[in-house]
Amino acid sequence: MVFSRFEQFWLTEHQRMRDQADLAAQMQAFDVGELASDETEEEQLRKRAVTISERRGTALQLAAWQRARRLLTFIAGFIAVILGIVATQTVLAQPQPLSLLFALVLLLLPNLAMLLLWLLVALRNSEPHGITAVGLHIMQWFTSKAGNTHDTSERQQLSQAWLQHVQQQRLLAPLMAVASHGFWLVISSSSWLTLLLYLSFNDYQFHWATTILQQPQLAAIAQTLNVLPELLLGISVPMPTDIATAGDFANLAGRWLASCVLIYAVLPRALLALVSVVWYQLSLQRMRLDIAASGHDAVVQSIRKHNHQPQVIDADQNTAHETIEMNYAKAGEGCTSASLDYEANRHWLSQQPNDYFGVLDSHAQKKAFLTLLEQQPRRQVEIRIAANLTPDRASLRYLAQISPFTMQLSVHLIATEGDTYLTQWQRLLKQHGVSYVTL
């Protein structure tokens, strides 16, 4: 099966929860040797989780969970369409002439009130709420009723892992924003389209109805509401004083009502839904695993222990066929020593012997050391090498260049705690017949 990046992280969180419960059993179910050593630890954890989920059948439960989510999304969208249609029909079913102010309140106020509620609550709450919480409760109920006991338990664990994953990765807020604004966008769009349909093929009469407001106050409200429709669409508001004088008041009032629903309900929700989707996509790209989290840490240590097998780092890929041989001199006098690349034992460096050449940390230094040996071959040459240096071909080639100018070449491997390449150095030096001492 092919999993999205979100699903891979989701399965990894699910596996982390299982590792917390019984790490020994989980380690027996998957050999870390199956992981590619060139992958990052995060990629290895994700690959391990996906592989185990496929073997255990968890991947099938995830696919079933996703199908249920898509069905629930379709049902929520259908309900939103019905709510939008019912809202418009409720307004148009009032006795005529219809009150413009009352129609605006019914069509706009629920949308705007829920938008304000989302602004006050959604960005502060770390728990699901609103349409997201309702959807999760329905999903939990569905998983508790579907399948056998094992499948039910597995899907409940997946649901819990989903919630923890989106909370840890800070995906919950954008997801709730997408769900909320998407739901109300469908409602407002359905209401607006239904309003256009009814006003296009039916005759309705409108008026400004009020009991406690005075005419100047009503006119001020109408002019305030018309700021955006006039700015964006060039729509004129029918004033309360025009009812008796304008024969096309109903036509103007209908178009103005439809434009208000579009501008104050549909467009804000559409913009916020688009922003929420972009926010969610950016959050997906920023997802990272906390490899130090409980459950992950022990697995990572096991992976590191398995990968703690040194390899020769050979920069000379094009000279793999080259044979390195040590040819020693038949005569020489005295001894000398040097450190290759750097000296790992700083204490020894402060008490260096008189025959110590220095640190061969540059091409010039290495050439000068060879020139010195060529002028006066030595009976013995000691090369000090830090065991955490990679035993590459260039280092072995340099030892071979020293060998013709000494009767005996000896390597002192300076080992410190945590050195990675000590065993590799020992094996390679033994392979080429170079004596060595581990210090």
Side-chain angles (χ1 to χ4, degrees):
M1 296 180 64
V2 179
F3 297 95
S4 65
R5 191 165 181 265
F6 177 89
E7 290 173 333
Q8 291 178 15
F9 276 78
W10 178 8
L11 287 174
T12 305
E13 175 59 24
H14 178 258
Q15 187 58 42
R16 186 190 71 83
M17 296 168 58
R18 300 184 67 89
D19 290 336
Q20 278 185 307
D22 190 355
L23 178 62
Q26 297 302 312
M27 294 302 290
Q28 291 178 358
F30 183 84
D31 183 6
V32 295
E34 301 178 49
L35 300 172
S37 58
D38 58 342
E39 296 176 334
T40 64
E41 292 174 344
E42 179 181 300
E43 292 172 339
Q44 290 175 328
L45 286 174
R46 285 158 51 188
K47 180 178 178 181
R48 172 177 177 269
V50 169
T51 304
I52 293 178
S53 69
E54 291 177 336
R55 293 175 181 176
R56 291 179 52 87
T58 307
L60 298 178
Q61 299 300 326
L62 184 144
W65 197 96
Q66 293 285 46
R67 286 194 297 270
R69 178 191 59 80
R70 286 191 288 267
L71 176 61
L72 185 60
T73 302
F74 174 79
I75 294 175
F78 179 77
I79 292 175
V81 170
I82 297 301
L83 289 176
I85 294 174
V86 169
T88 298
Q89 288 182 333
T90 300
V91 171
L92 298 180
Q94 300 299 313
Q96 296 190 40
L98 303 176
S99 170
L100 277 174
L101 196 57
F102 183 69
L104 284 174
V105 168
L106 287 183
L107 294 176
L108 299 182
L109 187 59
N111 193 339
L112 294 177
M114 294 305 299
L115 178 58
L116 291 175
L117 182 63
W118 177 82
L119 290 174
L120 291 174
V121 178
L123 299 180
R124 294 185 177 181
N125 200 344
S126 60
E127 297 295 331
H129 65 278
I131 187 66
T132 308
V134 173
L136 281 178
H137 287 310
I138 295 177
M139 288 291 296
Q140 291 173 355
W141 176 85
F142 180 79
T143 55
S144 64
K145 299 297 182 182
N148 53 43
T149 303
H150 173 74
D151 291 344
T152 300
S153 176
E154 194 71 24
R155 291 189 188 181
Q156 288 177 343
Q157 291 179 3
L158 277 173
S159 297
Q160 184 180 0
W162 180 89
L163 181 57
Q164 290 193 14
H165 164 57
V166 297
Q167 288 175 330
Q168 292 170 358
Q169 301 294 338
R170 298 183 179 180
L171 294 172
L172 186 58
L175 271 173
M176 290 192 297
V178 171
S180 177
H181 298 312
F183 183 74
W184 281 98
L185 174 61
V186 175
I187 292 178
S188 57
S189 298
S190 173
S191 177
W192 178 62
L193 292 174
T194 304
L195 182 64
L196 286 180
L197 179 65
Y198 276 70
L199 293 180
S200 297
F201 299 102
N202 286 292
D203 183 21
Y204 294 95
Q205 299 297 318
F206 296 94
H207 70 143
W208 290 97
T210 181
T211 302
I212 61 175
L213 297 177
Q214 298 178 356
Q215 286 292 331
Q217 294 175 323
L218 199 60
I221 293 175
Q223 290 175 346
T224 302
L225 291 173
N226 192 53
V227 171
L228 289 180
E230 184 177 12
L231 178 64
L232 299 178
L233 301 177
I235 300 294
S236 299
V237 58
M239 299 302 294
T241 55
D242 298 338
I243 296 178
T245 59
D248 59 348
F249 182 88
N251 180 271
L252 186 59
R255 286 186 290 147
W256 183 78
L257 179 62
S259 67
C260 285
V261 174
L262 173 65
I263 291 174
Y264 292 113
V266 179
L267 292 184
R269 288 292 184 175
L271 179 60
L272 289 171
L274 178 61
V275 172
S276 300
V277 170
V278 173
W279 180 16
Y280 175 66
Q281 292 299 325
L282 292 176
S283 299
L284 284 180
Q285 296 177 7
R286 290 194 297 265
M287 287 192 305
R288 295 293 183 272
L289 284 182
D290 181 10
I291 61 177
S294 176
H296 285 333
D297 53 351
V299 178
V300 170
Q301 291 300 324
S302 178
I303 294 174
R304 289 175 179 173
K305 183 178 180 180
H306 179 271
N307 293 336
H308 192 67
Q309 299 177 358
Q311 299 179 357
V312 176
I313 308 299
D314 192 355
D316 300 329
Q317 298 293 335
N318 296 328
T319 59
H321 63 280
E322 177 185 2
T323 301
I324 298 176
E325 296 182 357
M326 303 293 173
N327 300 310
Y328 296 100
K330 296 182 179 180
E333 295 182 1
C335 300
T336 188
S337 62
S339 301
L340 185 62
D341 290 338
Y342 80 97
E343 174 55 49
N345 190 340
R346 296 297 179 183
H347 178 70
W348 180 90
L349 191 61
S350 63
Q351 302 175 354
Q352 55 184 271
N354 296 329
D355 59 0
Y356 182 66
F357 178 83
V359 179
L360 308 177
D361 56 355
S362 65
H363 177 73
Q365 282 289 90
K366 292 177 181 179
K367 186 176 181 181
F369 186 62
L370 288 176
T371 302
L372 176 65
L373 294 178
E374 185 178 5
Q375 293 173 353
Q376 185 180 354
R378 297 297 198 272
R379 177 175 52 82
Q380 183 178 6
V381 173
E382 296 178 356
I383 301 297
R384 298 172 61 84
I385 299 177
N388 59 0
L389 292 176
T390 55
D392 57 7
R393 189 177 299 273
S395 299
L396 295 176
R397 188 188 299 118
Y398 186 70
L399 294 178
Q401 291 175 341
I402 294 175
S403 63
F405 309 116
T406 180
M407 297 177 63
Q408 181 181 357
L409 175 62
S410 177
V411 172
H412 290 191
L413 294 173
I414 314 302
T416 57
E417 184 179 356
D419 285 340
T420 306
Y421 298 103
L422 177 60
T423 304
Q424 195 76 352
W425 269 113
Q426 292 172 339
R427 186 172 69 249
L428 290 176
L429 292 174
K430 184 177 181 180
Q431 176 183 343
H432 289 84
V434 179
S435 63
Y436 63 87
V437 177
T438 303
L439 302 177

